[in-house]
């Protein structure tokens, strides 16, 4: 035997023309699908970048709002502190003036008593 299946004769595979056409159609369909997948990927990447940029902008805006709010509150607290310090200073100045008057009065009475005793 010559290596070819003698019982069935030469049954080498031959591709029919319709099979080649079907194969070419499948290749075109797959190529179109790959192109569409590429477009979808690009669109998804663009959408992701847009969402990320929008999120960053919103977070940045919120952070700025919080920063301004905290700064405003700190300014209010500084003003309140300064006012309380002014009140405390006035109070201590008044107390000191009163204490100085009392000491001066006490010293004057002491000196008067000492002069009377001499």
């Amino acid at each position: 035997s010559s290596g070819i299946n003698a019982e069935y004769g030469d049954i080498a595979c031959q591709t029919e023309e319709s099979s080649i056409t079907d194969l070419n159609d499948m290749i075109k369909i797959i190529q179109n699908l790959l192109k569409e997948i590429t477009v979808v990927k690009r669109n998804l990447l663009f959408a992701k970048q847009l969402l990320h940029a929008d999120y960053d902008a919103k977070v940045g805006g919120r952070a700025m709002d919080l920063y301004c709010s905290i700064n405003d509150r700190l300014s209010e607290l500084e003003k309140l502190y300064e006012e309380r310090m002014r009140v405390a200073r006035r109070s201590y100045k008044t107390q000191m003036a009163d204490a100085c008057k009392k000491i001066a009065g006490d010293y004057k009475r002491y000196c008067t008593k000492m002069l009377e005793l001499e």
Side-chain angles (χ1 to χ4, degrees):
S1 171
S2 62
I4 298 175
N5 194 338
E7 186 177 325
Y8 296 105
D10 188 3
I11 55 168
C13 289
Q14 292 187 359
T15 306
E16 295 179 20
E17 191 173 318
S18 64
S19 295
I20 292 175
T21 304
D22 290 344
L23 188 59
N24 284 335
D25 289 344
M26 288 296 280
I27 289 172
K28 287 178 184 175
I29 290 171
I30 290 172
Q31 286 173 340
N32 285 335
L33 285 174
L34 289 173
K35 286 178 187 176
E36 288 179 26
I37 288 172
T38 303
V39 170
V40 169
K41 280 183 180 180
R42 191 176 330 123
N43 289 342
L44 285 174
L45 181 62
F46 180 71
K48 177 185 168 189
Q49 290 171 342
L50 259 176
L51 286 173
H52 191 57
D54 185 49
Y55 175 78
D56 287 348
K58 286 179 181 177
V59 168
R62 183 66 181 135
M64 183 55 75
D65 290 345
L66 287 172
Y67 174 79
C68 291
S69 175
I70 289 170
N71 269 352
D72 291 346
R73 184 65 181 137
L74 281 175
S75 294
E76 291 173 13
L77 289 173
E78 285 175 354
K79 289 176 184 174
L80 183 64
Y81 169 77
E82 289 169 2
E83 180 58 32
R84 287 183 179 175
M85 288 301 294
R86 281 193 288 275
V87 169
R89 285 184 186 119
R90 275 189 301 240
S91 175
Y92 286 126
K93 282 181 184 177
T94 303
Q95 289 176 13
M96 184 130 165
D98 291 346
C100 287
K101 287 179 189 175
K102 184 179 182 312
I103 291 171
D106 289 348
Y107 183 71
K108 189 175 185 182
R109 282 191 291 282
Y110 171 77
C111 288
T112 305
K113 240 185 203 184
M114 292 304 280
L115 287 174
E116 289 175 1
L117 291 176
E118 288 183 4

